[in-house]
Amino acid sequence: MSDVKSKGSTLITLKQHALTAISYLIPIVVGGGFLLAIGSLMGGATIENFTDEWGFADTLYTMGGLILGMLPVVIGTGIAYSIADKPGIAAGFLVGLISIKMNAGFIGGFVGGYIAGYISLFLRNKMKVPQWAEGLKPMLIIPLISCFLVGMIMFYVLGTPISIFTEALNKFIMGLDMTQTLLFGLIIGVLSGVDYGGPINKVVYAFLLSLQSEGINEPMAVLMLASMVTPFGLTMMYPMQKLIRKNVFNRTEVDTLKTAFPMGVCMITEGCYPIIFNHLLPCIVATGVGAGVGGALSMFWGCASPVPHGGLFAMVTMTNPFGWLAALLIGSFVFAVVLLLILKPVDVNEELTLDANEEADINLSDIKIS
C-alpha cells in the first residue's frame, strides 16, 4: 500500500511541475498564436530576409512565429524552475534551445525540462562547496555544471536516437504506396498529428512539400487536417461532456478552449498545449486515431490542397473542399470520443495554481525602497 501511495505522490508531483510551466505558457501561446493568426489572415508570411520587401502583415506573422517557435524553451525552463527554483533556469533554457536546434519540438523541451530540473535539484541538495563559494553556488556553479551535464545528455544520449529515428522515418515515408489511398492517408494523418509540430511532423511536411512540387497535392490536405483535429476535437468535447454528464475539463482548460479553437481554425495547434501537457499520453492517442481516420477519408475522397497552410481559409483553393471539411469534422469527432473515453472526470472548479513559494517569489509588495 505504501508503494502505491508513493507512486501516486510522485505522479502528482511530476504533474504539478508541468502545471506550473503551463501557467507560464498560456499567455505566451495566446499572444504569439493570435499574432500569427492575424498575420496569416492578412496574407502575411515569414520574413526571411529583411533587405527584401515586407509589409505589416508579414511583421505580425513573423512575430507570432518567433514566439511559438520558442515554446520548447518556455516549457523546459518552466519545468526546471518548478523543480529546482532559480538554479534550474539556465539548464531548462538550454534544453529548450537544443530541442529547437535538434527539431525535437515541445516534447523534447518537456522531457528535457525534467532532466534539467532534477539534475539542478540534485546539485543544489548534494553538492558541497567551501564556505566562501556558497554565494556562487546557485548563481554560477550549479548553472554551469547543470548546463554542461544536460547538454551532454541532450546531444549524445537523446540526440542520436532522434537522428536515427528521423532518418528511418524518412525512408519509411518515401516507401509508402500512394495508390493505397485509405492506408496512405491513415499513416500520413497519424504521423502528421501525434507530435504536434515535432520532428515527426517536420519530416512528413518536408516529404509532402516535395510531392507538391510534382503537382501531388492530396497528401498536404491530410497534413493540414491532422494539424487541426486536436483543437476542433477538444472544442467538440465541451458540449459532448455535458451531454454524457462526464466533466473532463477544469476551469483553466475551459478558458484555454476559448483561444485554442480560433487558433485551430487557422491551423495553429499550439493553443491546445496547456490541455495537451495536462493529458499528454491520452491526447497523443486520441490525436493519432482522429487524425488517422480524417486523413484516410480525405485521401479516399480525393481532397487536395495546393497551399501548405491556412486552415479553413485555404478551403477556397482546395479540390473537393467540402469533402475535406467533412473529413476534418469526422476525425475531430473521433478524437473527442476517444479522449472522452480515456479521461477521468475532474472537478470543474479545479484550477492551475502556483506553489505558495512561487507566489511569494513574485510578490511585488515585498519590494521596499529606502
Side-chain angles (χ1 to χ4, degrees):
M1 181 66 72
S2 60
D3 290 341
V4 174
K5 289 183 178 179
S6 177
K7 289 179 181 179
S9 177
T10 301
L11 290 175
I12 292 172
T13 301
L14 291 174
K15 187 172 182 178
Q16 183 58 44
H17 295 316
L19 294 180
T20 299
I22 290 170
S23 70
Y24 300 136
L25 185 76
I26 291 173
I28 297 173
V29 166
V30 173
F34 275 103
L35 282 174
L36 185 68
I38 295 170
S40 177
L41 292 177
M42 296 173 64
T46 302
I47 303 173
E48 302 291 351
N49 189 342
F50 283 89
T51 60
D52 296 336
E53 185 177 349
W54 45 273
F56 178 67
D58 299 323
T59 62
L60 295 180
Y61 191 89
T62 302
M63 287 190 293
L66 289 172
I67 293 173
L68 296 184
M70 292 295 288
L71 292 186
V73 175
V74 177
I75 197 68
T77 306
I79 290 175
Y81 171 71
S82 176
I83 294 171
D85 207 73
K86 291 185 179 69
I89 290 177
F93 190 85
L94 178 61
V95 158
L97 293 177
I98 295 175
S99 295
I100 294 172
K101 187 70 174 178
M102 295 169 57
N103 288 326
F106 82 90
I107 294 180
F110 185 80
V111 175
Y114 282 101
I115 296 173
Y118 282 111
I119 286 176
S120 301
L121 182 65
F122 176 83
L123 293 173
R124 191 185 74 179
N125 294 340
K126 302 298 183 180
M127 187 174 63
K128 305 297 182 183
V129 297
Q131 184 64 35
W132 59 267
E134 280 292 338
L136 297 175
K137 184 177 173 181
M139 301 300 293
L140 173 61
I141 300 174
I142 293 177
L144 175 60
I145 297 176
S146 61
C147 281
F148 172 78
L149 293 176
V150 81
M152 294 299 101
I153 292 173
M154 291 295 290
F155 278 120
Y156 291 102
V157 179
L158 298 181
T160 301
I162 290 175
S163 299
I164 294 173
F165 173 73
T166 300
E167 181 63 25
L169 179 63
N170 191 48
K171 291 180 179 178
F172 171 73
I173 294 174
M174 295 288 286
L176 290 176
D177 183 3
M178 285 188 59
T179 61
Q180 303 291 326
T181 54
L182 279 172
L183 181 61
F184 184 85
L186 176 84
I187 295 173
I188 294 297
V190 172
L191 296 178
S192 298
V194 290
D195 70 338
Y196 307 103
I200 301 175
N201 176 274
K202 286 180 171 58
V203 171
V204 176
Y205 185 68
F207 171 67
L208 300 190
L209 283 176
S210 69
L211 292 181
Q212 274 197 321
S213 68
E214 300 173 10
I216 303 172
N217 296 323
E218 289 84 0
M220 188 58 76
V222 174
L223 181 139
M224 293 176 64
L225 175 152
S227 301
M228 301 168 67
V229 159
T230 301
F232 273 62
L234 287 172
T235 305
M236 286 182 179
M237 283 175 62
Y238 184 68
M240 289 171 64
Q241 68 172 4
K242 293 184 178 297
L243 288 176
I244 65 174
R245 297 182 180 180
K246 180 185 177 182
N247 183 75
V248 295
F249 291 133
N250 61 39
R251 187 182 302 173
T252 303
E253 291 170 340
V254 172
D255 290 338
T256 297
L257 291 175
K258 298 173 184 177
T259 56
F261 179 70
M263 289 168 65
V265 168
C266 301
M267 196 181 149
I268 301 171
T269 313
E270 284 83 352
C272 304
Y273 278 8
I275 299 176
I276 293 171
F277 279 125
N278 208 11
H279 314 284
L280 184 57
L281 185 57
C283 281
I284 290 174
V285 172
T287 298
V289 177
V293 170
L297 292 174
S298 178
M299 281 292 295
F300 183 71
W301 290 334
C303 310
S305 174
V307 297
H309 206 282
L312 287 186
F313 302 98
M315 283 181 61
V316 294
T317 70
M318 291 183 182
T319 302
N320 191 11
F322 294 106
W324 180 85
L325 179 60
L328 169 62
L329 295 178
I330 293 171
S332 301
F333 178 77
V334 171
F335 168 98
V337 171
V338 171
L339 195 55
L340 273 172
L341 290 174
I342 296 175
L343 294 184
K344 296 179 180 179
V346 300
D347 181 2
V348 69
N349 294 315
E350 177 187 332
E351 295 186 76
L352 302 184
T353 57
L354 300 178
D355 293 338
N357 291 337
E358 293 166 4
E359 293 286 357
D361 188 50
I362 59 175
N363 188 353
L364 297 180
S365 65
D366 290 341
I367 301 176
K368 292 182 171 56
I369 302 176
S370 58

